[in-house]
Amino acid sequence: MNRHPGGDEHTKEMLRLASVTVPARILDMGAGDGQTVRLLRDLGFYVQGIDLITSTDVTWGDFLHTSYDAESFDVVLSQCSFFISGRIQEAFTEAYRVVKPHGFLLYSDVGIRNSQNLIDSVVNVGFHIICFQDMTEIWRQYYVECLWRGEDISKLYCPIPKGKYGYYMLICRKEG
Ligand SMILES: C[S@@+](CC[C@H](N)C(=O)[O-])C[C@H]1O[C@@H](n2cnc3c(N)ncnc32)[C@H](O)[C@@H]1O
């Protein structure tokens, strides 16, 4: 089961929007049980994933303080993970540190409406936004489909916060 709205097609769409091709080095921050790590490896990419849950395809660790070298990945990907850490700004700072100059952050997650806070957070650490999409309707549909299949949505990792929240995609580039 995908733990992010849009599923594998959304992941591939983000790669297309940033024109990321093999053999890029990709880090999945908040990789869960590694579903996206496996998808990207099957596509031929070199991929590392980091998460607080243990899985065979993912390295255990806190994405706020990774042990990866600075500027060691062409792409950082994160789907539905930074928001629940409660420390979005620090997560963006770490993403910025590990991505190479001219590399990309492919990001989709919950954010407060309006999305200006989220945009300010990525720009403040130094990323340049090249694409933005409001995915809130896709996010709602994701939960409807989970309910329709009879899944217990309280067990989903992707949170449903109270209040005025949306779900957003950002494709960002680190300037050289
Ligand atoms: C909704 S799941 C998304 C998993 C995966 N990105 C996906 O789309 O299938 C959120 C994940 O973020 C992870 N996470 C939250 N805070 C983290 C942190 N500080 N360091 C590493 N992983 C974290 C959780 O353990 C969880 O697996």
Side-chain angles (χ1 to χ4, degrees), residues 3-4 30-32 51-52 61-63 79-81 84-85 157-158:
R3 292 206 200 121
H4 61 263
D51 202 287
L52 294 174
D62 184 347
F63 57 50
Q79 296 168 297
C80 212
S81 296
I84 56 171
S85 76
Y157 282 87
C158 202

Side-chain angles (χ1 to χ4, degrees), residues 52-92:
L52 294 174
I53 62 173
T54 313
S55 139
T56 48
D57 295 310
V58 173
T59 303
W60 184 90
D62 184 347
F63 57 50
L64 300 172
H65 309 284
T66 75
S67 55
Y68 299 110
D69 290 341
E71 303 184 352
S72 54
F73 290 93
D74 300 296
V75 175
V76 168
L77 169 87
S78 189
Q79 296 168 297
C80 212
S81 296
F82 284 4
F83 182 82
I84 56 171
S85 76
R87 295 163 76 175
I88 297 176
Q89 192 73 56
E90 287 167 70
F92 282 138

Side-chain angles (χ1 to χ4, degrees), residues 64-127:
L64 300 172
H65 309 284
T66 75
S67 55
Y68 299 110
D69 290 341
E71 303 184 352
S72 54
F73 290 93
D74 300 296
V75 175
V76 168
L77 169 87
S78 189
Q79 296 168 297
C80 212
S81 296
F82 284 4
F83 182 82
I84 56 171
S85 76
R87 295 163 76 175
I88 297 176
Q89 192 73 56
E90 287 167 70
F92 282 138
T93 300
E94 182 62 3
Y96 189 84
R97 187 187 71 79
V98 299
V99 80
K100 294 177 186 173
H102 306 296
F104 292 96
L105 169 65
L106 311 182
Y107 181 79
S108 63
D109 206 346
V110 176
I112 298 167
R113 281 188 181 277
N114 72 37
S115 51
Q116 193 59 48
N117 282 353
L118 183 63
I119 290 168
D120 289 346
S121 295
V122 282
V123 169
N124 285 345
V125 299
F127 283 113

Side-chain angles (χ1 to χ4, degrees), residues 6-22:
D8 289 349
E9 280 313 308
H10 170 60
T11 306
K12 291 185 203 168
E13 176 64 8
M14 290 204 292
L15 293 170
R16 275 193 291 272
L17 287 168
S19 302
V20 175
T21 52
V22 173

